[in-house]
Each structure stands twice: as structure tokens, then as C-alpha cells.
Amino acid sequence: MKDKLEELTEYLDRAYGIDYWSDDAIDYARALVNQLGVEQWDALSAGWNAKDIEWQVRLAEAVFGCESPRRVDLLLAMLRSEVMDVAVAAAKSLEASDDVWAPDPSMRSLLQYLHDRAKEEDKYIFEILLAKISD
């Protein structure tokens, strides 16, 4: 029998059309993330960046709906990814988690760096996060 991390890993590996992912599949991925135990979170935190880029992006999107406080640490690690698609997905999930997280001044240079590297259509997410920094 698979544990929830194995199930999540396989689920995020599947090919999804963008509409199916955003309308349906993401909800099940979020449910799986919510069922992860401590050891599974440890393994996920240690190994997410070894997966392909689409998997990482889907993980960042799925983690948004998670109730675990560990989601913020994972998303912050993903925000530091050299892959802009992953960093953007993490930034969107962090911004949507504003009830439990807000960027602090120490993040200004990272967010500005990501803003400067982002595609024009993705710059807004970093502008929102930069605006939330209180000095």
C-alpha cells in the first residue's frame, strides 16, 4: 500500500490539461498534501527540487490549500528556486496565504531579484509581495 507521499508524487507526475488541473485535479492534490505526516513532510521538503519543473509548479500550487504550518517553509524554499516558473508558483501561493505569512524586510532583495527576472505577466506577484513589506 502506498503512503500519502508516494500517492502525491505519482499524482503530481501525471500529465494534466491546464483546465482539468485548475478545475479538478488540484483539489485532490491539496487533499493529499493535507494528509502528509511529519516524516513525509521531511521527505517532501528534502526532495521536491529533484522532480521535474511541472511537478514542482503543481506542488507549489497544491500546497496553497494545505493546513500544515510547514507549507510556508516549503514555499519559501521553492521561492528561492533558480527556475522562475517554480518561484512564481511559490510566490502566488505565498501571496494567497497572507493570513499566515507576510514577507519581512529581509526578503526585499530576493523579491526584487525575482521581479527583475520575471516575465512581464508575472511581475505583478512580486510587486504585491514587495508592497506588503513593512519596514
Side-chain angles (χ1 to χ4, degrees):
M1 184 170 168
K2 295 178 197 167
D3 71 17
K4 291 302 173 187
L5 181 56
E6 290 172 321
E7 190 176 345
L8 175 67
T9 298
E10 290 177 9
Y11 194 75
L12 295 177
D13 269 336
R14 296 180 191 162
Y16 297 101
I18 190 154
D19 290 335
Y20 181 70
W21 170 253
S22 62
D23 292 344
D24 295 311
I26 194 170
D27 293 330
Y28 187 67
R30 287 179 177 153
L32 289 171
V33 171
N34 269 323
Q35 296 174 42
L36 298 178
V38 173
E39 291 175 4
Q40 294 163 330
W41 268 103
D42 290 343
L44 182 63
S45 296
W48 66 268
N49 58 350
K51 301 293 185 185
D52 70 42
I53 293 167
E54 288 201 20
W55 189 98
Q56 292 178 37
V57 168
R58 286 195 286 275
L59 175 64
E61 293 170 350
V63 167
F64 159 66
C66 173
E67 297 171 11
S68 173
R70 295 194 60 183
R71 76 181 185 274
V72 171
D73 290 336
L74 177 61
L75 289 169
L76 288 173
M78 296 179 93
L79 186 66
R80 290 175 174 81
S81 173
E82 288 298 315
V83 178
M84 280 306 297
D85 288 343
V86 175
V88 167
K92 288 177 180 178
S93 286
L94 283 165
E95 193 280 323
S97 299
D98 63 353
D99 60 323
V100 295
W101 179 83
D104 61 59
S106 70
M107 298 201 61
R108 186 182 312 278
S109 62
L110 172 62
L111 293 171
Q112 189 63 55
Y113 170 75
L114 292 169
H115 174 271
D116 294 347
R117 288 185 54 217
K119 295 178 207 168
E120 200 58 42
E121 64 266 21
D122 293 328
K123 289 185 181 294
Y124 78 94
I125 195 65
F126 299 107
E127 292 166 0
I128 291 170
L129 291 174
L130 283 162
K132 289 183 178 187
I133 296 175
S134 58
D135 292 316

PDB file of all heavy atoms in Angstrom, residues 8 17 20 38 42 59 63 65 67 72-73 88 92-93 95 104 111 113 123 126:
ATOM      1  N   LEU A   8       0.931  11.219  -3.623  1.00  0.00           N
ATOM      2  CA  LEU A   8       1.056  12.601  -4.081  1.00  0.00           C
ATOM      3  C   LEU A   8       2.082  12.710  -5.200  1.00  0.00           C
ATOM      4  O   LEU A   8       1.832  13.365  -6.218  1.00  0.00           O
ATOM      5  CB  LEU A   8       1.441  13.523  -2.920  1.00  0.00           C
ATOM      6  CG  LEU A   8       1.725  14.979  -3.283  1.00  0.00           C
ATOM      7  CD1 LEU A   8       0.449  15.670  -3.765  1.00  0.00           C
ATOM      8  CD2 LEU A   8       2.320  15.719  -2.088  1.00  0.00           C
ATOM      9  N   GLY A  17      -4.243  18.529 -18.417  1.00  0.00           N
ATOM     10  CA  GLY A  17      -4.549  19.741 -19.164  1.00  0.00           C
ATOM     11  C   GLY A  17      -4.712  20.871 -18.156  1.00  0.00           C
ATOM     12  O   GLY A  17      -5.107  20.637 -17.011  1.00  0.00           O
ATOM     13  N   TYR A  20      -8.201  21.027 -16.577  1.00  0.00           N
ATOM     14  CA  TYR A  20      -8.504  19.925 -15.675  1.00  0.00           C
ATOM     15  C   TYR A  20      -7.728  20.081 -14.362  1.00  0.00           C
ATOM     16  O   TYR A  20      -8.273  19.859 -13.280  1.00  0.00           O
ATOM     17  CB  TYR A  20      -8.209  18.563 -16.316  1.00  0.00           C
ATOM     18  CG  TYR A  20      -8.547  17.419 -15.397  1.00  0.00           C
ATOM     19  CD1 TYR A  20      -9.878  17.116 -15.110  1.00  0.00           C
ATOM     20  CD2 TYR A  20      -7.551  16.675 -14.781  1.00  0.00           C
ATOM     21  CE1 TYR A  20     -10.202  16.085 -14.229  1.00  0.00           C
ATOM     22  CE2 TYR A  20      -7.867  15.649 -13.908  1.00  0.00           C
ATOM     23  CZ  TYR A  20      -9.193  15.353 -13.642  1.00  0.00           C
ATOM     24  OH  TYR A  20      -9.502  14.345 -12.772  1.00  0.00           O
ATOM     25  N   VAL A  38       4.601  13.925   9.504  1.00  0.00           N
ATOM     26  CA  VAL A  38       5.860  14.641   9.741  1.00  0.00           C
ATOM     27  C   VAL A  38       6.993  14.086   8.888  1.00  0.00           C
ATOM     28  O   VAL A  38       7.727  14.841   8.234  1.00  0.00           O
ATOM     29  CB  VAL A  38       6.239  14.595  11.247  1.00  0.00           C
ATOM     30  CG1 VAL A  38       7.614  15.173  11.489  1.00  0.00           C
ATOM     31  CG2 VAL A  38       5.195  15.317  12.071  1.00  0.00           C
ATOM     32  N   ASP A  42       9.088  15.893   5.864  1.00  0.00           N
ATOM     33  CA  ASP A  42      10.553  15.958   5.833  1.00  0.00           C
ATOM     34  C   ASP A  42      11.088  15.487   4.487  1.00  0.00           C
ATOM     35  O   ASP A  42      11.952  16.133   3.889  1.00  0.00           O
ATOM     36  CB  ASP A  42      11.163  15.115   6.955  1.00  0.00           C
ATOM     37  CG  ASP A  42      10.926  15.696   8.336  1.00  0.00           C
ATOM     38  OD1 ASP A  42      10.573  16.891   8.450  1.00  0.00           O
ATOM     39  OD2 ASP A  42      11.091  14.935   9.324  1.00  0.00           O
ATOM     40  N   LEU A  59       3.161  21.191  -7.300  1.00  0.00           N
ATOM     41  CA  LEU A  59       3.292  21.092  -5.848  1.00  0.00           C
ATOM     42  C   LEU A  59       3.083  22.461  -5.200  1.00  0.00           C
ATOM     43  O   LEU A  59       2.328  22.581  -4.227  1.00  0.00           O
ATOM     44  CB  LEU A  59       4.655  20.530  -5.448  1.00  0.00           C
ATOM     45  CG  LEU A  59       4.918  20.495  -3.938  1.00  0.00           C
ATOM     46  CD1 LEU A  59       3.943  19.556  -3.225  1.00  0.00           C
ATOM     47  CD2 LEU A  59       6.361  20.088  -3.660  1.00  0.00           C
ATOM     48  N   VAL A  63       0.121  23.092  -2.515  1.00  0.00           N
ATOM     49  CA  VAL A  63       0.455  23.388  -1.121  1.00  0.00           C
ATOM     50  C   VAL A  63      -0.341  24.576  -0.600  1.00  0.00           C
ATOM     51  O   VAL A  63      -0.620  24.677   0.593  1.00  0.00           O
ATOM     52  CB  VAL A  63       1.981  23.607  -0.972  1.00  0.00           C
ATOM     53  CG1 VAL A  63       2.340  24.227   0.353  1.00  0.00           C
ATOM     54  CG2 VAL A  63       2.705  22.282  -1.147  1.00  0.00           C
ATOM     55  N   GLY A  65      -3.465  25.281  -0.506  1.00  0.00           N
ATOM     56  CA  GLY A  65      -4.646  24.947   0.278  1.00  0.00           C
ATOM     57  C   GLY A  65      -4.375  24.097   1.505  1.00  0.00           C
ATOM     58  O   GLY A  65      -5.299  23.710   2.203  1.00  0.00           O
ATOM     59  N   GLU A  67      -3.224  22.888   5.230  1.00  0.00           N
ATOM     60  CA  GLU A  67      -3.385  23.435   6.581  1.00  0.00           C
ATOM     61  C   GLU A  67      -2.117  23.359   7.419  1.00  0.00           C
ATOM     62  O   GLU A  67      -2.039  23.963   8.478  1.00  0.00           O
ATOM     63  CB  GLU A  67      -4.522  22.695   7.290  1.00  0.00           C
ATOM     64  CG  GLU A  67      -5.856  22.896   6.613  1.00  0.00           C
ATOM     65  CD  GLU A  67      -6.952  21.999   7.176  1.00  0.00           C
ATOM     66  OE1 GLU A  67      -6.744  21.362   8.223  1.00  0.00           O
ATOM     67  OE2 GLU A  67      -8.016  21.946   6.550  1.00  0.00           O
ATOM     68  N   VAL A  72       4.572  26.979   4.598  1.00  0.00           N
ATOM     69  CA  VAL A  72       5.271  28.248   4.385  1.00  0.00           C
ATOM     70  C   VAL A  72       6.764  28.001   4.174  1.00  0.00           C
ATOM     71  O   VAL A  72       7.367  28.560   3.253  1.00  0.00           O
ATOM     72  CB  VAL A  72       5.008  29.220   5.554  1.00  0.00           C
ATOM     73  CG1 VAL A  72       5.897  30.452   5.444  1.00  0.00           C
ATOM     74  CG2 VAL A  72       3.541  29.621   5.584  1.00  0.00           C
ATOM     75  N   ASP A  73       7.368  27.153   5.002  1.00  0.00           N
ATOM     76  CA  ASP A  73       8.798  26.860   4.835  1.00  0.00           C
ATOM     77  C   ASP A  73       9.084  26.234   3.474  1.00  0.00           C
ATOM     78  O   ASP A  73      10.074  26.564   2.820  1.00  0.00           O
ATOM     79  CB  ASP A  73       9.300  25.943   5.949  1.00  0.00           C
ATOM     80  CG  ASP A  73       9.345  26.640   7.293  1.00  0.00           C
ATOM     81  OD1 ASP A  73       9.439  27.887   7.331  1.00  0.00           O
ATOM     82  OD2 ASP A  73       9.279  25.937   8.327  1.00  0.00           O
ATOM     83  N   VAL A  88       7.657  31.620  -9.277  1.00  0.00           N
ATOM     84  CA  VAL A  88       6.393  32.344  -9.490  1.00  0.00           C
ATOM     85  C   VAL A  88       5.237  31.590  -8.841  1.00  0.00           C
ATOM     86  O   VAL A  88       4.400  32.183  -8.155  1.00  0.00           O
ATOM     87  CB  VAL A  88       6.136  32.588 -10.997  1.00  0.00           C
ATOM     88  CG1 VAL A  88       4.710  33.049 -11.247  1.00  0.00           C
ATOM     89  CG2 VAL A  88       7.127  33.608 -11.543  1.00  0.00           C
ATOM     90  N   LYS A  92       2.924  33.002  -5.800  1.00  0.00           N
ATOM     91  CA  LYS A  92       1.464  33.093  -5.861  1.00  0.00           C
ATOM     92  C   LYS A  92       0.819  32.399  -4.665  1.00  0.00           C
ATOM     93  O   LYS A  92      -0.136  32.911  -4.081  1.00  0.00           O
ATOM     94  CB  LYS A  92       0.952  32.507  -7.171  1.00  0.00           C
ATOM     95  CG  LYS A  92       1.259  33.382  -8.369  1.00  0.00           C
ATOM     96  CD  LYS A  92       0.794  32.744  -9.663  1.00  0.00           C
ATOM     97  CE  LYS A  92       1.112  33.641 -10.849  1.00  0.00           C
ATOM     98  NZ  LYS A  92       0.700  33.019 -12.129  1.00  0.00           N
ATOM     99  N   SER A  93       1.349  31.237  -4.301  1.00  0.00           N
ATOM    100  CA  SER A  93       0.791  30.527  -3.145  1.00  0.00           C
ATOM    101  C   SER A  93       1.095  31.258  -1.842  1.00  0.00           C
ATOM    102  O   SER A  93       0.254  31.302  -0.950  1.00  0.00           O
ATOM    103  CB  SER A  93       1.331  29.093  -3.090  1.00  0.00           C
ATOM    104  OG  SER A  93       0.725  28.311  -4.096  1.00  0.00           O
ATOM    105  N   GLU A  95       1.503  34.534  -1.548  1.00  0.00           N
ATOM    106  CA  GLU A  95       0.658  35.733  -1.523  1.00  0.00           C
ATOM    107  C   GLU A  95      -0.771  35.370  -1.131  1.00  0.00           C
ATOM    108  O   GLU A  95      -1.411  36.076  -0.367  1.00  0.00           O
ATOM    109  CB  GLU A  95       0.674  36.412  -2.900  1.00  0.00           C
ATOM    110  CG  GLU A  95       0.099  37.816  -2.898  1.00  0.00           C
ATOM    111  CD  GLU A  95      -1.419  37.862  -2.919  1.00  0.00           C
ATOM    112  OE1 GLU A  95      -2.035  37.013  -3.585  1.00  0.00           O
ATOM    113  OE2 GLU A  95      -1.993  38.751  -2.258  1.00  0.00           O
ATOM    114  N   ASP A 104       8.956  39.719   5.194  1.00  0.00           N
ATOM    115  CA  ASP A 104       9.596  40.687   6.076  1.00  0.00           C
ATOM    116  C   ASP A 104      10.701  41.407   5.300  1.00  0.00           C
ATOM    117  O   ASP A 104      11.026  41.019   4.179  1.00  0.00           O
ATOM    118  CB  ASP A 104      10.123  39.999   7.347  1.00  0.00           C
ATOM    119  CG  ASP A 104      11.165  38.950   7.050  1.00  0.00           C
ATOM    120  OD1 ASP A 104      12.205  39.279   6.456  1.00  0.00           O
ATOM    121  OD2 ASP A 104      10.942  37.779   7.417  1.00  0.00           O
ATOM    122  N   LEU A 111      12.940  39.219  -3.450  1.00  0.00           N
ATOM    123  CA  LEU A 111      11.733  39.534  -4.207  1.00  0.00           C
ATOM    124  C   LEU A 111      12.026  40.505  -5.345  1.00  0.00           C
ATOM    125  O   LEU A 111      11.470  40.368  -6.440  1.00  0.00           O
ATOM    126  CB  LEU A 111      10.654  40.088  -3.278  1.00  0.00           C
ATOM    127  CG  LEU A 111      10.093  39.083  -2.268  1.00  0.00           C
ATOM    128  CD1 LEU A 111       9.192  39.789  -1.264  1.00  0.00           C
ATOM    129  CD2 LEU A 111       9.365  37.947  -2.969  1.00  0.00           C
ATOM    130  N   TYR A 113      14.924  40.794  -6.908  1.00  0.00           N
ATOM    131  CA  TYR A 113      15.674  39.990  -7.880  1.00  0.00           C
ATOM    132  C   TYR A 113      14.715  39.156  -8.740  1.00  0.00           C
ATOM    133  O   TYR A 113      14.832  39.120  -9.969  1.00  0.00           O
ATOM    134  CB  TYR A 113      16.662  39.091  -7.135  1.00  0.00           C
ATOM    135  CG  TYR A 113      17.329  38.042  -7.983  1.00  0.00           C
ATOM    136  CD1 TYR A 113      18.339  38.375  -8.881  1.00  0.00           C
ATOM    137  CD2 TYR A 113      16.949  36.702  -7.884  1.00  0.00           C
ATOM    138  CE1 TYR A 113      18.961  37.402  -9.666  1.00  0.00           C
ATOM    139  CE2 TYR A 113      17.567  35.727  -8.662  1.00  0.00           C
ATOM    140  CZ  TYR A 113      18.566  36.090  -9.551  1.00  0.00           C
ATOM    141  OH  TYR A 113      19.171  35.128 -10.322  1.00  0.00           O
ATOM    142  N   LYS A 123       5.385  39.753 -13.184  1.00  0.00           N
ATOM    143  CA  LYS A 123       5.989  40.753 -12.291  1.00  0.00           C
ATOM    144  C   LYS A 123       5.032  41.196 -11.184  1.00  0.00           C
ATOM    145  O   LYS A 123       5.451  41.479 -10.076  1.00  0.00           O
ATOM    146  CB  LYS A 123       6.464  41.962 -13.089  1.00  0.00           C
ATOM    147  CG  LYS A 123       7.682  41.683 -13.937  1.00  0.00           C
ATOM    148  CD  LYS A 123       8.186  42.927 -14.618  1.00  0.00           C
ATOM    149  CE  LYS A 123       9.392  42.657 -15.481  1.00  0.00           C
ATOM    150  NZ  LYS A 123      10.583  42.252 -14.766  1.00  0.00           N
ATOM    151  N   PHE A 126       5.283  39.690  -7.606  1.00  0.00           N
ATOM    152  CA  PHE A 126       6.400  40.165  -6.791  1.00  0.00           C
ATOM    153  C   PHE A 126       6.159  41.609  -6.342  1.00  0.00           C
ATOM    154  O   PHE A 126       6.569  41.989  -5.242  1.00  0.00           O
ATOM    155  CB  PHE A 126       7.719  39.998  -7.551  1.00  0.00           C
ATOM    156  CG  PHE A 126       7.983  38.559  -7.887  1.00  0.00           C
ATOM    157  CD1 PHE A 126       7.857  38.098  -9.184  1.00  0.00           C
ATOM    158  CD2 PHE A 126       8.309  37.648  -6.886  1.00  0.00           C
ATOM    159  CE1 PHE A 126       8.062  36.763  -9.487  1.00  0.00           C
ATOM    160  CE2 PHE A 126       8.512  36.312  -7.181  1.00  0.00           C
ATOM    161  CZ  PHE A 126       8.387  35.870  -8.476  1.00  0.00           C
TER     162      PHE A 126
END
